[in-house]
Amino acid sequence: MTALAHEAPEMTSGSDLDELLWQAWKAMELPEGLRAEIVEGFIEVSPTGRHSHSKVSNQLHRELTRYLDSQSSAYVVNNDINVVHGRKVWIPDAVVAPEDDDEFVTDDGLGLDARCVALIIEVVSPGHDGTQRDRVRKRRAYARAGIPVYVLIDAYDGHGTVSVLTAPRPGEAIYNNENRVAYGTEVIIPEGPAKGFVIGEAITGPPRNA
């Protein structure tokens, strides 16, 4: 999934840059099949996922919803929802947030404030732009926003890996802890409302190109 990244003019910085990008993002009218996010000083426009991406994302959504329901959790799984942090906005593949989220809806109604998000999952997109966005830029962005758990399901890392990142350090834009396993090895969400949820072959399928 190739992104078209639009950078703001170099003479604009700080809060002025954030506001310029925010207003430009709000004014965008994209054709069906495209989405736009603000990630680290860029507006990134990318197409929705290909079939393999959607298959994993949909199975993840089903399994995680079943798990939260079985726990009688007050949290639900969202997709295609804007997560807003300051003047940054992301559209993750899966977001775990409170079901009763009225107090966390942004004033303009465009999305959910990142402070209510317990877990974000991204199914990594192919191509250099897609992998760098999910593995590097969004990893920093989510850590900077204090997202407690970030999971990457990455079919393009060797024969496929799942990484569970926890203990964000917002000031340094890093996660202290990372548990990275190969497809075919189960990994468990260690904390939060999805604690105990298992990601394995039922979601990822077998290792790619094995």
Side-chain angles (χ1 to χ4, degrees):
M1 180 159 48
T2 302
L4 301 174
H6 299 278
E7 187 174 16
E10 291 184 4
M11 71 286 292
T12 307
S13 61
S15 60
D16 290 340
L17 169 61
D18 290 342
E19 185 62 25
L20 184 151
L21 289 170
W22 180 251
Q23 295 301 329
W25 177 81
K26 289 201 298 183
M28 295 180 75
E29 295 185 9
L30 296 175
E32 186 175 354
L34 294 178
R35 64 182 184 178
E37 303 172 283
I38 302 176
V39 184
E40 294 197 328
F42 290 83
I43 295 177
E44 298 198 22
V45 179
S46 57
T48 53
R50 60 177 63 182
H51 177 263
S52 59
H53 181 285
S54 297
K55 186 174 181 179
V56 172
S57 182
N58 291 339
Q59 182 65 10
L60 168 69
H61 191 281
R62 285 191 293 269
E63 294 292 335
L64 186 49
T65 295
R66 287 194 194 104
Y67 182 80
L68 293 174
D69 287 347
S70 74
Q71 304 298 304
S72 300
S73 178
Y75 285 72
V76 296
V77 188
N78 299 278
N79 57 5
D80 293 326
I81 192 169
N82 297 323
V83 175
V84 180
H85 177 62
R87 286 295 188 257
K88 308 295 187 296
V89 60
W90 316 296
I91 310 173
D93 290 307
V95 176
V96 174
E99 183 172 19
D100 184 7
D101 60 9
D102 289 349
E103 67 177 291
F104 301 110
V105 176
T106 56
D107 291 341
D108 49 21
L110 290 176
L112 287 179
D113 192 304
R115 64 193 169 92
C116 79
V117 172
L119 167 68
I120 280 178
I121 302 177
E122 295 283 8
V123 180
V124 176
S125 301
H128 180 74
D129 286 339
T131 56
Q132 289 299 297
R133 180 171 58 253
D134 292 332
R135 294 174 185 168
V136 180
R137 296 193 295 276
K138 281 192 170 183
R139 177 175 177 150
R140 287 193 300 248
Y142 294 153
R144 194 176 290 118
I147 303 299
V149 183
Y150 175 35
V151 177
L152 294 95
I153 299 176
D154 191 346
Y156 307 98
D157 180 11
H159 296 317
T161 62
V162 179
S163 299
V164 178
L165 307 169
T166 57
R169 293 167 64 178
E172 299 175 49
I174 62 172
Y175 282 93
N176 269 352
N177 302 329
E178 178 177 2
N179 183 13
R180 179 170 167 265
V181 304
Y183 276 19
T185 303
E186 293 184 343
V187 63
I188 300 174
I189 303 299
E191 62 181 72
K195 181 178 180 179
F197 178 67
V198 176
I199 300 175
E201 285 194 34
I203 293 171
T204 66
R208 303 292 193 263
N209 304 318

